[in-house]
Amino acid sequence: MNAHDERGTTMTGVDPNRLDDQQLMKELETIHRTRHDTLLYGSDDALRAHNERMAQLEGEYLRRNPRRPVAPGRTRDGARERTASDSATPTASGT
């Protein structure tokens, strides 16, 4: 299904706010699965459409899940802690 938004650009797919939670997750899984191939082999137009659709879907997910669980290692502090512990670990050569 194609629709036009108020800016006159073409949007492919159902408006994310009209999807139920299960449909939204399925759309997100699909778009993330196809991301790599689109980046490597898609035309500029295909990549632009993919970026726009992914942003719409992810934005809707975040709107619905403002208190989603966040893994400590996926934060700046967690990454810094991981880097610090990696540099403190001796290498195989014992240095």
Side-chain angles (χ1 to χ4, degrees):
M1 171 171 127
N2 288 334
H4 292 276
D5 68 14
E6 58 278 357
R7 295 173 306 215
T9 59
T10 301
M11 180 181 81
T12 303
V14 176
D15 188 341
N17 69 8
R18 296 181 59 201
L19 299 171
D20 65 30
D21 288 345
Q22 185 176 3
Q23 292 168 323
L24 179 61
M25 288 306 295
K26 184 175 180 175
E27 289 283 324
L28 281 165
E29 289 167 1
T30 299
I31 204 158
H32 285 120
R33 187 174 57 250
T34 61
R35 180 66 182 169
H36 190 72
D37 282 345
T38 304
L39 175 64
L40 294 179
Y41 309 113
S43 67
D44 289 344
D45 287 341
L47 185 57
R48 189 172 10 266
H50 204 273
N51 288 342
E52 290 173 11
R53 182 66 175 167
M54 190 163 53
Q56 292 167 351
L57 293 167
E58 289 177 345
E60 180 63 18
Y61 177 82
L62 293 172
R63 185 189 70 76
R64 292 183 193 186
N65 299 282
R67 297 182 184 270
R68 72 192 193 289
V70 176
R74 301 297 296 182
T75 64
R76 284 184 182 189
D77 288 340
R80 286 185 188 117
E81 186 176 304
R82 189 173 56 243
T83 302
S85 68
D86 289 346
S87 62
T89 304
T91 62
S93 64
T95 57

